[in-house]
């Protein structure tokens, strides 16, 4: 069937590129909403809920095999009310039904997620992930499954009700009691996490665990911080530094990194980082940009600096909306094949390069080896620059120059190919992750264009996704596309954006961003905090009523909103002198304490918040003429100090918060160093300030 000729279904009116991909399916798809849920109640048909995202390879496979097939679609339409959900727009729905899938099947979930729900209250009674069109992989054909599920639903209603009651009891037991207020929070989880990372560390190829292998930037950042905390002791934790830097190096050399265009794919299908799942996600690259920039600062390694630079340049070149916002993802597939956009035949690559360029490029990236991806070549570092220079008898600078020219030529050719599908919706949370990465890299790499891009993305979020009548109070929306912004925002949106603002204020000070930071954190406390047990729900108190209101402490592909919220509350609480924010952060840590101690490796973002709770961040306020104050700030920025925040505030800035206004400007530039609630006397010279800063790092 030619789906392009099919009559569009309801999904054609949606903003989600993923939903629009299914707009010409013969399936009578509905978006999640009142119309579909009312139809299910009225018809008595169970709901078939299909959750995925635009860059998901197996989502495409299931769509081609089943959702585009008229016979399968007819069965779906006869037996079910069919609802399609974009997990990136509706993570609230995805979180609930992913957990339900795990409980019902005793297996991990994933995408596409295929769940069958009761017609009257949306409780799940059966589910899975990908189902094939024909019986294989030990699974029944999807059409056979549809008939069995519908028959079972109508014949075993009472049994299903009992199962649903049990499932809802499991949901009710998800939130443990918080740690008693009389008990002390300790550093024990930090040390347990360090040991767990060492146990799963791949000593040869870096990373943690086997294939498939994910980047886990938060774990890398934690190891760098663990090493930093021990650096002044008699036994610095050099193995923590080694684990972090080997992982960063192997990823940078691997095929998970786009050796021509910069940026990272979502994960590696092998333990070597060689062949990726080729989709490129904004959230991965925002976080990894920050990790490589911080590692460059911590180690001085030029490789890390180059990877941070190229990743930032990729974001600016290929991910920006004309309004300044940042798009969500590029698909793994192009022209119906995964990775086709990225891989090469040997002949095509050789014919584009000079003999000298080909000689070093082929050796460096394995094009003189056997093909490594379905009969083609995907670039992956096989030989170091140093060894390549020795082999060829050339100066390393000459080898580097030929490699750069070869990469540029091949990138230009690749850019003329049929591109992978672009998911050009703009998500508040993912933009916040990228804004933070760009802001941090702008400081480390001295890249004004990165700072400008971060500022433009922030301005986009404020103009399109922040609804406020007075500037002091407001609410966020979750997503925007084609001029339409909608969906009540989630905890991640508020927490990530607050965290990004704290980074942007260190790039350039704006009072209006301080006011926005206040409004975000106050809205988060008012609408998301659990007043009884502490911590934050994923959805607000005025969100659509679903079968469960999630409160998750664990990280998944992105950091836990509770962890980022706690850390932002601690940093902003000390910066602006707000004890209530510090108290909310402590309540969050107490609420998560049981999970944090049982599974530290699954709660890295909360471990980071715990670290800052136990050792309050150092906040440096610099007041003076803009150029000189920024110069002082840049000087401090030459040192890796992950617990330090440095703000350069022009001397003539008015309307400052009380906690900052008392850090008054003098006749010349001066600085104040605050640790927790204690601040130094004014420091009147850069030499004295640098000496104090170096003493903390040394």
């Amino acid at each position: 069937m030619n789906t392009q000729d099919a009559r569009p279904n309801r999904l054609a009116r949606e903003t989600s590129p993923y939903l629009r991909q299914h707009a010409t399916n013969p399936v009578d798809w509905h978006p999640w909403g009142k119309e579909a849920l009312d139809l299910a109640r009225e018809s008595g048909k169970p709901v078939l809920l299909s959750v995925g995202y635009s860059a998901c390879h197996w989502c495409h496979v299931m769509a081609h095999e089943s959702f585009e097939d008229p016979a399968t679609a007819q069965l779906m339409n006869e037996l079910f009310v069919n609802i399609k959900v974009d997990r990136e727009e509706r993570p609230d729905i995805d979180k609930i039904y992913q957990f339900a899938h795990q409980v019902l099947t005793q297996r991990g979930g994933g995408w596409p997620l295929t769940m069958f729900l009761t017609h009257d209250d949306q409780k799940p009674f059966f589910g899975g992930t990908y189902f094939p069109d024909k019986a294989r992989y030990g699974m029944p054909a999807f059409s056979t499954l549809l008939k069995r599920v519908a028959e079972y639903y109508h014949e075993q209603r009472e049994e299903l009700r009992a199962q649903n009651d049990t499932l809802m009891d499991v949901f009710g037991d998800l939130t443990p009691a918080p740690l008693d207020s009389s008990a002390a929070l300790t550093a024990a989880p930090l040390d347990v996490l360090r040991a767990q990372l060492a146990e799963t560390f791949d000593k040869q190829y870096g990373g943690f665990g086997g294939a498939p292998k994910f980047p886990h930037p938060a774990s890398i950042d934690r190891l760098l911080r663990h090493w930093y905390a021990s650096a002044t002791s008699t036994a610095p934790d050099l193995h923590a530094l080694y684990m972090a830097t080997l992982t960063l190096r192997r990823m940078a050399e691997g095929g998970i990194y786009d050796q021509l265009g910069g940026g990272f794919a979502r994960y590696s299908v092998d333990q070597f980082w060689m062949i990726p799942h080729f989709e490129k996600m904004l959230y991965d690259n925002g976080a990894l940009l920050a990790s490589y920039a911080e590692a460059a600062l911590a180690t001085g390694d030029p490789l890390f600096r180059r990877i941070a630079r190229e990743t930032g340049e990729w974001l600016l070149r290929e991910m920006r909306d004309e309004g300044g916002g940042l798009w969500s993802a590029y698909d793994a597939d192009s022209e119906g094949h995964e990775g086709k956009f990225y891989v090469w035949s040997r002949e095509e690559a050789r014919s584009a390069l000079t003999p000298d360029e080909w000689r070093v490029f082929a050796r460096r990236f394995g094009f003189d080896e056997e093909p490594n991806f379905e009969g083609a070549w995907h670039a992956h570092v096989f030989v170091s620059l140093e060894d390549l220079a020795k082999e060829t008898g050339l100066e390393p600078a000459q080898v580097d120059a030929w490699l750069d020219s070869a990469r540029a030529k091949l990138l230009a050719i690749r850019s003329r190919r049929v591109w992978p599908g672009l998911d050009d919706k703009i998500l508040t949370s993912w933009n916040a992750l990228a804004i933070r990465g760009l802001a941090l890299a702008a400081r480390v790499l001295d890249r004004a264009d990165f700072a400008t891009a971060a500022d433009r993305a922030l301005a986009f979020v404020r103009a399109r996704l922040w609804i406020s009548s007075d500037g002091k109070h407001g609410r966020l929306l979750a997503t925007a596309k084609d001029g339409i912004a909608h969906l009540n925002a989630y905890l991640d949106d508020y927490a990530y954006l607050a965290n990004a603002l704290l980074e942007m204020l260190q790039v350039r000070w704006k009072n209006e961003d301080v006011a926005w930071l206040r409004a975000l954190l106050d809205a988060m406390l008012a609408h998301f905090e659990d007043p009884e047990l502490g911590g934050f729900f994923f959805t607000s108190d005025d969100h659509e009523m679903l079968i469960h209101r999630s409160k998750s402490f664990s990280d998944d592909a992105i950091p836990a909103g509770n962890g980022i919220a706690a850390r932002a509350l601690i940093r902003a609480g000390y910066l602006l002198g707000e004890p209530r924010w510090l108290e909310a952060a402590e309540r969050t840590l107490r609420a998560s304490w049981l999970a944090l101690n049982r599974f530290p490796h699954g709660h890295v973002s909360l471990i980071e918040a715990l670290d800052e709770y136990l050792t309050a961040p150092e906040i440096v306020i610099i007041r003076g003429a803009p150029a000189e104050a920024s110069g002082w700030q840049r000087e401090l920025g030459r040192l890796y100090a992950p617990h330090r925040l440095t703000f350069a505030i022009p001397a003539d800035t008015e309307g400052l918060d009380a906690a900052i206004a008392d850090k008054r400007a003098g006749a010349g530039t001066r600085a104040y160093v605050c640790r927790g609630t204690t601040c130094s006397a004014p420091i009147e010279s850069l030499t004295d300030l640098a000496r104090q800063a170096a003493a903390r790092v040394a």
Side-chain angles (χ1 to χ4, degrees), residues 28 50-51 77-78 86 146 174-175 197 233 236 243 255 264 285 344 381 414 562 566 594 640 697:
D28 186 19
S50 177
V51 184
N77 296 338
E78 288 176 359
D86 182 342
L146 294 172
L174 281 178
T175 305
L197 291 173
S233 71
M243 287 191 284
F264 288 85
N285 284 283
W344 297 82
V381 172
R414 193 180 80 181
N562 268 285
L594 183 61
Y640 174 69
V697 177

Side-chain angles (χ1 to χ4, degrees), residues 80 122 134 252 286 292 297 308 310 345 375 491 586 697:
F80 301 95
Q122 300 90 56
K134 296 179 177 61
Y292 275 93
L297 188 62
E310 291 177 355
S345 71
L491 172 62
E586 181 177 339
V697 177

Side-chain angles (χ1 to χ4, degrees), residues 133-449:
D133 58 339
K134 296 179 177 61
R136 57 180 180 273
Y137 314 131
M139 293 183 284
F142 188 52
S143 57
T144 302
L145 181 77
L146 294 172
K147 296 173 188 175
R148 290 178 182 171
V149 169
E151 181 180 348
Y152 178 71
Y153 182 72
H154 293 295
E155 293 181 356
Q156 305 291 333
R157 192 66 58 85
E158 293 307 313
E159 181 181 332
L160 287 177
R161 293 297 179 195
Q163 175 185 283
N164 285 344
D165 290 343
T166 301
L167 176 64
M168 296 315 294
D169 288 342
V170 175
F171 273 117
D173 293 337
L174 281 178
T175 305
L179 181 69
D180 186 85
S181 59
S182 62
L185 298 172
T186 71
L190 279 71
D191 296 325
V192 175
L193 172 60
R194 163 66 179 79
Q196 288 178 336
L197 291 173
E199 287 173 7
T200 59
F201 177 62
D202 183 333
K203 299 176 178 62
Q204 186 171 2
Y205 299 106
F208 307 95
K213 191 175 278 187
F214 290 80
H216 296 304
S219 295
I220 296 167
D221 297 345
R222 173 90 293 269
L223 287 169
L224 285 174
R225 286 158 173 70
H226 203 95
W227 159 74
Y228 172 80
S230 70
T232 58
S233 71
T234 55
D237 191 350
L238 297 178
H239 189 60
L241 178 64
Y242 173 74
M243 287 191 284
T245 54
L246 181 69
T247 300
L248 290 167
R249 178 169 291 277
R250 293 290 183 258
M251 287 196 302
E253 294 172 341
I256 191 175
Y257 182 69
D258 183 348
Q259 299 293 340
L260 300 185
F264 288 85
R266 184 163 170 253
Y267 63 86
S268 172
V269 301
D270 53 64
Q271 73 178 107
F272 318 111
W273 304 108
M274 182 184 293
I275 301 301
H277 184 38
F278 285 90
E279 61 192 6
K280 277 182 163 182
M281 316 299 290
L282 179 62
Y283 64 79
D284 283 320
N285 284 283
L288 286 165
L289 171 59
S291 294
Y292 275 93
E294 285 204 301
L297 188 62
T299 66
D301 192 320
L303 173 63
F304 300 157
R305 191 176 186 88
R306 177 174 70 81
I307 299 301
R309 183 187 77 242
E310 291 177 355
T311 301
E313 289 170 349
W314 171 76
L315 286 173
L316 270 58
R317 185 178 67 247
E318 296 184 11
M319 296 296 283
R320 278 200 294 181
D321 177 83
E322 62 182 12
L326 296 159
W327 296 322
S328 293
Y330 278 98
D331 205 328
D333 296 8
S334 57
E335 301 182 81
H337 298 280
E338 182 177 4
K340 184 172 182 180
F341 180 74
Y342 297 98
V343 301
W344 297 82
S345 71
R346 185 181 276 162
E347 293 71 24
E348 184 185 16
R350 180 193 286 133
S351 65
L353 306 179
T354 68
D356 287 330
E357 289 168 344
W358 170 251
R359 179 164 56 121
V360 295
F361 179 87
R363 186 77 180 107
R364 170 75 163 161
F365 294 113
F367 280 55
D368 59 347
E369 304 281 340
E370 292 297 311
N372 60 359
F373 184 76
E374 298 179 359
W377 280 262
H378 177 57
H380 168 277
V381 172
F382 277 81
V383 179
S384 71
L385 284 173
E386 294 77 11
D387 288 346
L388 187 52
K390 290 177 183 176
E391 287 180 17
T392 58
L394 298 167
E395 291 296 321
Q398 181 62 72
V399 173
D400 223 9
W402 281 341
L403 286 172
D404 284 347
S405 63
R407 291 166 66 224
K409 287 179 180 179
L410 293 179
L411 179 62
I413 292 170
R414 193 180 80 181
S415 297
R416 296 193 290 271
R417 293 176 176 174
V418 176
W419 279 65
L422 169 67
D423 188 322
D424 58 351
K425 68 178 178 291
I426 296 171
L427 297 170
T428 300
S429 58
W430 294 11
N431 268 253
L433 289 172
I435 289 165
R436 177 182 176 268
L438 285 166
L440 201 156
R443 297 199 308 275
V444 172
L445 305 178
D446 195 21
R447 289 290 295 258
D449 56 338

